[in-house]
Amino acid sequence: MSWLNVVRIIQKLKQRDMKKSQFLPLTLALLILATASCKKTTPELKEVFKNDFLIGTAMNSYQVHGRDPLAKPFIIKNFNSITAENEMKWERIHPAPGVYSFAKADSIAEFAQKNNLVLIGHVLVWHSQTPDWVFRDSVGNTLSRDALLARMKDHIFTVVGHFKGKVKGWDVVNEAIDDNGAMRKSLWYQIIGEDYIQKAFEYAHEADPDAELYYNDYNNEQKVKRDGVIPIIKSLQQNGARIDAVGIQGHWHLDEPDLNELDESLSAYAALGVKIVITEMEVNVLPTPPEVYGADIQQQAKYLEELNPYKNGCPDSVQTQLANRYSDLFTIFMKHKKDITRVTFWGIHDGYSWKNGWPIVGRTNYPLLFDRNYQPKPAFWSVIKTAKGE
């Protein structure tokens, strides 16, 4: 409670002609409450790490349109970068041939501009959340290589061109590598070939020469997948394409990734001469079936009660594990801060996390730094300590 609010309440109490025996105790209680609040001021995440890297979050149209009145001021206070969680993905922004729907994404862009937030574009070319019509002609036949390249170019030129000067950087290609390190056999790959990645980066750079361009993936901090990503980066560089950073999504767990492997991967990517961005971070606290231990949204698992153990609240023991995990991860980030330019959390608090519905619908998860009431969790304070070297 701020001192200004205390003054306002006291003034209202005076207007009620309260008895002195009632008025004085209430006033004293308010003063004690205000003093305690001042002593426990929650630091702003973006300020704590302002000399290290950007602190971002995912934002959706529900928040930007004020349906949750607490969301926008909370974002402004704690973050200096935002990524549209879904509103710039192909299925939302380009739902049908020749049809572009920019209204919701524009609202997020306007919010970013008004509040001096760095806006990240997500995502241009991906195998998921891309309508099937993108790969087929008017009668349903699979497009030729040249036809799909033309469709890709139109999409990238239209979307990137629309946000030119508003978006700092784009996730140009997302999740092009399978967990075994081989190229994912997406329709982009099957129809165009491996150089679809090269073409996407070339088109994005033509559309906005000033925008930063990123390759983004999950599990690419693990060696087997890292060994598949590094050749992509080198190929782009050798063929003259602009690539500014490797995006590591950071959909992590209490026991994954291996911290030494993460440390090694950050060094390996930095050695390529690119920056690193942590693009979609959270730490899952729930048991997850091994067959979906990644972030491929096309995979789903059956709901079982034993896989949703914390429906009524997160136990203190798990909160402690989560805090320790975040501390370990941010300690590594701080070690590599000269190469990391941004850390983005995939949601502003636990209630907004996609991990409540994936890979199992209907669970209650607690993967972020703030709880469902916007209150900082022990994990938040452990992250703050890493900035101070504690």
Side-chain angles (χ1 to χ4, degrees):
M1 179 180 292
S2 70
W3 287 104
L4 181 59
N5 285 334
V6 169
V7 171
R8 288 172 178 166
I9 294 171
I10 291 174
Q11 288 174 341
K12 288 180 180 180
L13 291 175
K14 283 183 178 179
Q15 293 170 1
R16 293 182 181 180
D17 293 327
M18 296 180 68
K19 293 181 180 179
K20 190 174 181 180
S21 60
Q22 296 173 311
F23 176 76
L24 290 178
L26 281 172
T27 302
L28 180 60
L30 288 168
L31 292 173
I32 292 172
L33 179 60
T35 301
S37 298
C38 289
K39 290 180 179 178
K40 189 62 174 177
T41 301
T42 303
E44 300 173 2
L45 272 176
K46 65 180 182 182
E47 287 299 313
V48 171
F49 292 97
K50 66 181 179 181
N51 296 321
D52 305 312
F53 34 69
L54 293 172
I55 295 291
T57 189
M59 190 175 192
N60 58 43
S61 59
Y62 180 90
Q63 295 159 351
V64 80
H65 290 306
R67 295 188 181 97
D68 177 356
L70 298 179
K72 286 196 288 187
F74 182 81
I75 289 170
I76 293 167
K77 176 183 178 182
N78 282 289
F79 305 99
N80 45 26
S81 175
I82 56 172
T83 303
E85 186 172 10
N86 286 297
E87 303 305 344
M88 292 185 182
K89 291 173 181 173
W90 199 310
E91 68 179 7
R92 300 285 182 92
I93 210 165
H94 191 181
V99 176
Y100 285 90
S101 180
F102 287 111
K104 291 180 178 180
D106 280 342
S107 295
I108 294 174
E110 289 165 9
F111 175 76
Q113 282 194 305
K114 181 180 179 181
N115 295 286
N116 297 314
L117 300 169
V118 171
L119 180 62
I120 304 301
H122 175 76
V123 53
L124 296 174
V125 175
W126 188 24
H127 67 278
S128 290
Q129 292 184 258
T130 301
D132 187 61
W133 66 260
V134 173
F135 306 100
R136 305 189 184 281
D137 62 20
S138 59
V139 295
N141 295 319
T142 302
L143 292 180
S144 67
R145 168 186 162 88
D146 288 344
L148 185 54
L149 280 172
R151 191 160 285 180
M152 177 201 286
K153 183 175 182 179
D154 171 76
H155 176 82
I156 291 175
F157 268 59
T158 303
V159 174
V160 175
H162 180 85
F163 292 103
K164 186 175 181 180
K166 298 178 182 179
V167 168
K168 177 182 176 64
W170 285 95
D171 292 331
V172 179
V173 175
N174 200 40
E175 302 175 7
I177 299 295
D178 269 329
D179 282 332
N180 62 4
M183 289 291 296
R184 183 186 295 275
K185 304 305 185 288
S186 67
L187 287 174
W188 293 110
Y189 177 85
Q190 293 178 43
I191 296 171
I192 298 173
E194 189 169 336
D195 66 333
Y196 85 87
I197 300 173
Q198 175 79 25
K199 293 295 185 181
F201 276 82
E202 289 176 357
Y203 297 154
H205 184 56
E206 287 183 60
D208 185 355
D210 295 324
E212 293 182 353
L213 306 180
Y214 318 128
Y215 173 77
N216 193 47
D217 216 323
Y218 65 85
N219 287 357
N220 54 331
E221 71 284 346
Q222 297 177 10
K223 184 180 185 305
V224 64
K225 196 162 187 177
R226 180 184 77 206
D227 289 346
V229 170
I230 285 178
I232 289 177
I233 309 309
K234 288 182 175 179
S235 176
L236 289 168
Q237 293 172 327
Q238 290 165 2
N239 288 292
R242 175 172 182 168
I243 176 165
D244 295 276
V246 174
I248 298 175
Q249 291 180 11
H251 296 300
W252 291 329
H253 303 259
L254 293 174
D255 58 352
E256 290 280 346
D258 178 90
L259 296 173
N260 290 327
E261 196 168 35
L262 173 61
D263 188 23
E264 291 169 1
S265 291
L266 295 178
S267 295
Y269 288 131
L272 299 175
V274 295
K275 294 297 183 181
I276 299 157
V277 282
I278 310 300
T279 57
E280 306 175 24
M281 187 181 184
E282 83 275 315
V283 177
N284 170 51
V285 304
L286 299 182
T288 301
E291 66 269 20
V292 289
Y293 215 72
D296 189 339
I297 65 169
Q298 295 177 332
Q299 295 180 311
Q300 289 284 331
K302 181 181 178 181
Y303 180 93
L304 298 171
E305 284 295 329
E306 58 264 32
L307 298 178
N308 189 27
Y310 311 132
K311 290 184 292 185
N312 298 317
C314 189
D316 290 344
S317 59
V318 176
Q319 294 279 19
T320 299
Q321 290 180 66
L322 183 67
N324 291 339
R325 188 64 174 168
Y326 267 109
S327 177
D328 290 341
L329 292 167
F330 266 80
T331 296
I332 293 175
F333 295 165
M334 292 299 288
K335 175 183 175 181
H336 293 272
K337 64 181 182 180
K338 68 179 178 61
D339 298 310
I340 295 175
T341 60
R342 172 170 50 91
V343 175
T344 291
F345 295 92
W346 212 234
I348 59 177
H349 68 54
D350 288 340
Y352 281 109
S353 175
W354 74 303
K355 299 310 292 268
N356 293 297
W358 187 92
I360 299 170
V361 176
R363 297 200 298 175
T364 304
N365 214 323
Y366 307 85
L368 295 165
L369 301 187
F370 297 90
D371 68 20
R372 287 165 170 77
N373 296 312
Y374 288 93
Q375 296 304 302
K377 296 157 57 177
F380 171 87
W381 297 107
S382 71
V383 165
I384 297 302
K385 288 181 178 180
T386 65
K388 301 175 182 178
E390 298 179 12

